[in-house]
Amino acid sequence: MTMETGEPLRRTHAALLESIQATVKAFDEGARGNVAVLVPPFSSFAVMPRDLHSSKGLSISRTVLSGFPDGEPLDDVNGSIAILEGCHHLYRMSIGGFAVLRKFLRDIEEDDGRLFITVWNAKAWKYLDQAVGLGAHFPVQLRMPELCQNELRDIIMEKYDEGEIDFQYDDMPTKEPIVEWLPHEYSFMGKDRETSLPRIDGNALRRALLRRKVYLSAEEKVFSQIHYLSKGNLGAAQEIWIRSLDYPVIRPSYVLNACKRFMMDNGEAFVAANILRKGKVSMEEMREDIGDQVPLDLIVSNLRNKGIVNSDGSVLKIRAENLSFTLDSLAKHGMV
Amino acid sequence: MVEEAVMDLLSTFSIDTPTFLFLVSILVISVIAVRVVAFVMNILAARFKSQGNKIRMLIPLFKLLVYASLLFIAVTTVFNLGSAEILVFSGLFGAAIGLGLKDVFADMVTGIIMVFEKPFHIGDRVSVEGHYGEVKDMGFRATRILTPDDDLVSVPNILMFNRPVASANFGSPHMMVTIDIYIDFGCDREAVKRVMREAVVTSRYSNIGNGYPVLTLVKDFPYYVRFRVRSYVWDLADEFAYETDITVRVWKELERMGVKPPRLSLPGHPGP
C-alpha cells in the first residue's frame, strides 16, 4: 500500500535528482557514466523522464521491470537516455541464473551511444556486488539516504489536516522511558512462545546520564518509534503508520504492538533474504530460484506464521512493520 | 627420617562425618556449578555467534577456578598443614609424579597453560595427529574432539601442546572450506569455473560478504583436471552440509551441460 505524497517527498528526493541531472549534463557534454540508484526495500524512487532535462534534446525513456524478463531486457528499451527501474529482477538465485544480468551489463557497457540510469533494490545490489562485482559496471552510484524522524513525520502527516490525528499518550508517564518492552517470539522445548524483551533507547539513556529531562509529546514518541522500527525507510514507515493508526487516534503503544521480534533458522533466513532482495516475488519465481535448495512451501508457511512474510495472493513480500527485526535477524545469518 | 615426616603428616589428617559430608556437598555443588555455567555459556555462545568460541573458552577457565578452589578447601580441611607438613606433602606429591603420575601431571599442566595461551578455542575445527573435528571440551587431562563421523576422540593435552595443531577458524564462527571437483580433460574450463563460483554465491550456507573471497582454482593432473573452490561457510556447524550442497548442485549442472567425470584410459582400450 502506498500513500499519496507530494512536496516533502520531492524535497527528500531533490538531491538525488540533482545528481542524476548532473550525469545527464555530463553525457550531453560527451562524458558517459552509467548510473546506479540504490533504493532501500519498500521505498520507491521513480525517475520520470520529465524530471530530467537534456540540453541536446535527447530522448528519455522509462522502463520498469517487475519480474525476471522473458526475453532480452533491453529489447523494448529505447531513448538515448534510458531509465530502467527494478533491475534487481535481472537475476535468479541459481546456477546459471546470472547469465541475463551478465549480458545486460555487457550490453549497457558496449552501448556507447546511450546513457543508462538504473534503479536497484539496495539489498539486492549489495548481494550482486559481492556475487558478480556489479559495482565495477557503474561509475556513478547514488544511494537514497535514510530519512530522519522529522522527514518521515512531514511526509506521513502531509495528507492529514492540522489536528486531524489525535496523538494520545498511553498510561506511561510523559517522562522519556529508557527501557521499552517489545514483543519477542522464540522457540522453547519445540513450541513457539511469545514474550517481551527490553530494548534500551540509547538516546534516552544518554540524555538521562546527562541529566537532561526530556518530555516528549505523544506525537514525538510515535514518530520516534516509527523511525526506530523502519530504520529511516519511508516505505516501511508508511506501512507501520497505516497498521498503527486507529483513525483518528494513534498511541505509542499501537506502534510497538504492530510488530514483533522473532528468530529465524538458516533456511528461513535464506528465503526471507531472497524475498527482501526482490521486493515482491511470486511463489513460482521463488521456486525456480531456490526451490532445489530448501523445502520452500514449508519455509514460506513458517515465515507467514511468524509474521515475517506477507502474502498478497501468490506474491510474497516482507512485512514492512517487521523490517527492522527482519534485517537484524538476517544480519545474524550474514544474509544482508 | 622420611617415615617420621610422613607419619607426622598423616597425624594431621582428620576427617569426621560432618567434614566428610561438607566435602561431598561442595564437590556436588562444584560439579553442578560447572555444568550450569557450561550450559549457560553454550546458550550465550549460540546466541552471540560471532563471539561464540570466545565465550566457550570461559568454561575451562571457570572449571579450573572451581576445581582448584575445591582442592585447596579439601586439603586444608582434611590436613592441618603447617610449613613442615606442606614441605612433606610437596615431597610426597613430587615422588608420586616421579613414580607414575608424570603423564597425568604433564597433561594437567599443559591443560592449564592451554586455557591461558589459547592455541585454539572450544568450538574450533582443529586437526591433530590425523584427527579432524570440532573441539568439544578442554579438560584437565585431555581435549575432546568430535569428528565428522560422530566419534569423540580424547587427545591428551600434552599431545595438543607438543604436536602441531591446525585450527581452521581460530575463534571465528566463519571458516574457509575447500571443495574439489575432478573433471575429464575435455571440459570447458571457464564454464566449469563459472558453475562452481555460482554454486557458492547462491548457496544458503556461504558467506560471501564482508570481504570473504571466493577463489576458483584450476590445476591439470595427468588424467583429470582438478577444480578447487575456496570460500567461507557462514556457520561452522554447516561445514559438511555446505560441502555437500556445493558438490551436489555443481554436478547436477555439469551433468546437464554434458561435462563428464574423469575417465580411465588405458593403452589399447578406448575407455568408457
Side-chain angles (χ1 to χ4, degrees):
Chain A
M1 193 181 296
T2 53
M3 296 163 61
E4 288 297 319
T5 50
E7 191 51 38
L9 183 60
R10 274 196 291 279
R11 247 193 337 262
T12 62
H13 287 170
L16 265 181
L17 285 172
E18 267 176 37
S19 304
I20 296 170
Q21 180 59 55
T23 60
V24 171
K25 192 179 171 203
F27 182 60
D28 282 340
E29 290 164 1
R32 176 175 171 266
N34 288 333
V35 183
V37 183
L38 317 185
V39 180
F42 302 109
S43 291
S44 58
F45 178 67
V47 192
M48 296 295 178
R50 66 169 180 272
D51 294 329
L52 303 175
H53 168 71
S54 165
S55 60
K56 281 188 174 176
L58 298 174
S59 58
I60 303 173
S61 70
R62 177 172 178 258
T63 308
V64 180
L65 301 169
S66 55
F68 190 76
D70 291 330
E72 292 288 326
L74 291 178
D75 274 357
D76 299 329
V77 176
N78 40 45
S80 299
I81 298 167
I83 301 164
L84 282 159
E85 289 178 31
C87 294
H88 45 272
H89 289 293
L90 289 172
Y91 78 102
R92 284 197 187 288
M93 193 71 181
S94 57
I95 300 175
F98 299 96
V100 170
L101 177 64
R102 285 206 176 93
K103 180 158 190 325
F104 168 77
L105 294 172
R106 213 168 36 242
D107 288 347
I108 65 169
E109 249 174 16
E110 289 169 358
D111 194 345
D112 290 336
R114 288 201 285 180
L115 174 70
F116 290 92
I117 297 162
T118 58
V119 182
W120 305 75
N121 176 325
K123 298 298 171 193
W125 172 274
K126 187 183 173 195
Y127 166 71
L128 291 170
D129 193 25
Q130 290 156 351
V132 295
L134 201 52
H137 299 271
F138 293 92
V140 183
Q141 293 168 22
L142 306 169
R143 190 173 289 272
M144 183 191 270
E146 287 179 1
L147 302 185
C148 71
Q149 186 180 318
N150 288 341
E151 287 171 324
L152 288 180
R153 187 194 57 216
D154 290 348
I155 293 169
I156 290 172
M157 293 306 293
E158 187 198 2
K159 67 180 281 197
Y160 301 102
D161 294 329
E162 184 79 27
E164 183 181 344
I165 300 297
D166 183 10
F167 290 91
Q168 292 183 2
Y169 282 113
D170 296 302
D171 294 333
M172 64 176 72
T174 55
K175 190 177 170 186
E176 188 179 33
I178 295 170
V179 177
E180 288 173 334
W181 292 87
L182 300 175
H184 178 85
E185 196 176 80
Y186 67 102
S187 263
F188 185 67
M189 307 281 280
K191 283 190 178 174
D192 289 336
R193 294 154 204 269
E194 204 168 305
T195 184
S196 291
L197 284 182
R199 170 224 164 205
I200 295 174
D201 184 335
N203 290 329
L205 178 64
R206 194 174 66 246
R207 286 192 283 267
L209 290 172
L210 293 170
R211 293 181 183 281
R212 281 186 199 157
K213 288 187 179 173
V214 175
Y215 294 90
L216 295 179
S217 67
E219 183 179 350
E220 285 171 322
K221 192 66 203 166
V222 163
F223 282 107
S224 160
Q225 284 167 341
I226 288 176
H227 183 252
Y228 162 69
L229 292 172
S230 66
K231 290 190 186 283
N233 181 313
L234 176 61
Q238 287 174 327
E239 292 262 355
I240 294 167
W241 170 264
I242 288 164
R243 286 183 191 280
S244 310
L245 181 66
D246 185 9
Y247 186 83
V249 176
I250 188 165
R251 293 178 173 185
S253 61
Y254 293 179
V255 179
L256 289 184
N257 289 340
C259 59
K260 62 180 178 183
R261 283 180 186 275
F262 41 75
M263 293 176 82
M264 285 189 259
D265 64 26
N266 175 280
E268 290 166 353
F270 181 64
V271 173
N274 280 290
I275 295 172
L276 187 72
R277 286 175 195 143
K278 297 273 172 101
K280 283 181 187 173
V281 60
S282 70
M283 192 70 180
E284 285 65 38
E285 194 172 334
M286 283 296 284
R287 209 183 302 283
E288 283 195 38
D289 273 15
I290 57 174
D292 63 339
Q293 289 205 58
V294 288
L296 191 63
D297 292 320
L298 177 68
I299 287 180
V300 168
S301 168
N302 288 346
L303 290 173
R304 279 181 179 146
N305 292 339
K306 288 182 178 182
I308 300 167
V309 165
N310 213 357
S311 58
D312 177 13
S314 63
V315 176
L316 306 171
K317 65 173 194 168
I318 298 293
R319 290 178 77 116
E321 67 272 26
N322 286 331
L323 174 68
S324 172
F325 301 143
T326 303
L327 289 175
D328 289 347
S329 192
L330 292 180
K332 281 178 190 159
H333 289 275
M335 301 282 181
V336 290
Chain B
M1 175 108 176
V2 175
E3 274 178 27
E4 203 175 302
V6 172
M7 293 311 291
D8 282 348
L9 179 65
L10 290 176
S11 69
T12 67
F13 177 85
S14 71
I15 186 161
D16 47 21
T17 308
T19 309
F20 177 74
L21 290 176
F22 168 70
L23 288 176
V24 169
S25 38
I26 60 165
L27 177 66
V28 170
I29 289 168
S30 302
V31 171
I32 291 171
V34 164
R35 294 205 170 191
V36 168
V37 167
F39 179 72
V40 172
M41 292 294 172
N42 279 322
I43 287 176
L44 287 175
R47 178 80 179 79
F48 303 100
K49 270 190 173 160
S50 59
Q51 300 297 322
N53 291 356
K54 287 176 182 123
I55 293 172
R56 283 197 192 94
M57 278 307 285
L58 294 173
I59 299 170
L61 202 64
F62 182 75
K63 256 191 214 175
L64 174 68
L65 197 71
V66 168
Y67 290 133
S69 307
L70 183 68
L71 183 69
F72 178 77
I73 292 169
V75 169
T76 51
T77 307
V78 173
F79 295 97
N80 183 17
L81 298 178
S83 54
E85 286 80 11
I86 288 173
L87 198 66
V88 173
F89 192 78
S90 310
L92 284 175
F93 193 60
I97 290 166
L99 286 173
L101 293 175
K102 69 175 171 47
D103 289 343
V104 175
F105 188 71
D107 285 336
M108 287 175 71
V109 171
T110 48
I112 292 167
I113 292 171
M114 283 197 304
V115 165
F116 289 102
E117 195 182 302
K118 295 180 194 148
F120 50 84
H121 304 75
I122 292 179
D124 278 6
R125 297 290 167 124
V126 299
S127 180
V128 61
E129 292 287 291
H131 299 291
Y132 174 75
E134 180 188 345
V135 177
K136 296 302 281 185
D137 185 30
M138 291 168 72
F140 280 128
R141 199 197 65 76
T143 297
R144 276 170 272 283
I145 297 171
L146 185 68
T147 70
D149 297 329
D150 209 26
D151 294 330
L152 194 64
V153 179
S154 288
V155 184
N157 284 336
I158 190 73
L159 275 185
M160 298 295 286
F161 198 68
N162 285 341
R163 299 284 193 278
V165 178
S167 175
N169 57 310
F170 195 66
S172 165
H174 317 303
M175 184 182 82
M176 180 185 270
V177 176
T178 301
I179 301 164
D180 291 336
I181 302 273
Y182 299 93
I183 313 269
D184 187 59
F185 257 127
C187 65
D188 175 348
R189 286 161 170 73
E190 279 305 318
V192 176
K193 263 179 74 176
R194 183 182 52 74
V195 167
M196 288 193 76
R197 184 180 166 81
E198 289 186 1
V200 168
V201 300
T202 57
S203 172
R204 57 187 278 202
Y205 302 108
S206 67
N207 177 17
I208 60 167
N210 310 312
Y212 288 106
V214 179
L215 290 174
T216 319
L217 309 165
V218 184
K219 191 174 171 77
D220 283 346
F221 284 87
Y223 301 106
Y224 53 85
V225 187
R226 185 191 70 193
F227 289 83
R228 169 170 286 180
V229 66
R230 285 188 174 149
S231 57
Y232 283 78
V233 62
W234 178 260
D235 189 340
L236 280 176
D238 295 326
E239 178 192 356
F240 302 108
Y242 179 51
E243 203 172 328
T244 305
D245 175 54
I246 299 295
T247 307
V248 167
R249 289 195 303 123
V250 164
W251 269 117
K252 199 171 163 186
E253 182 66 13
L254 293 181
E255 277 165 13
R256 199 187 60 75
M257 291 162 57
V259 176
K260 302 266 189 245
R263 284 171 290 185
L264 184 63
S265 178
L266 295 173
H269 294 270

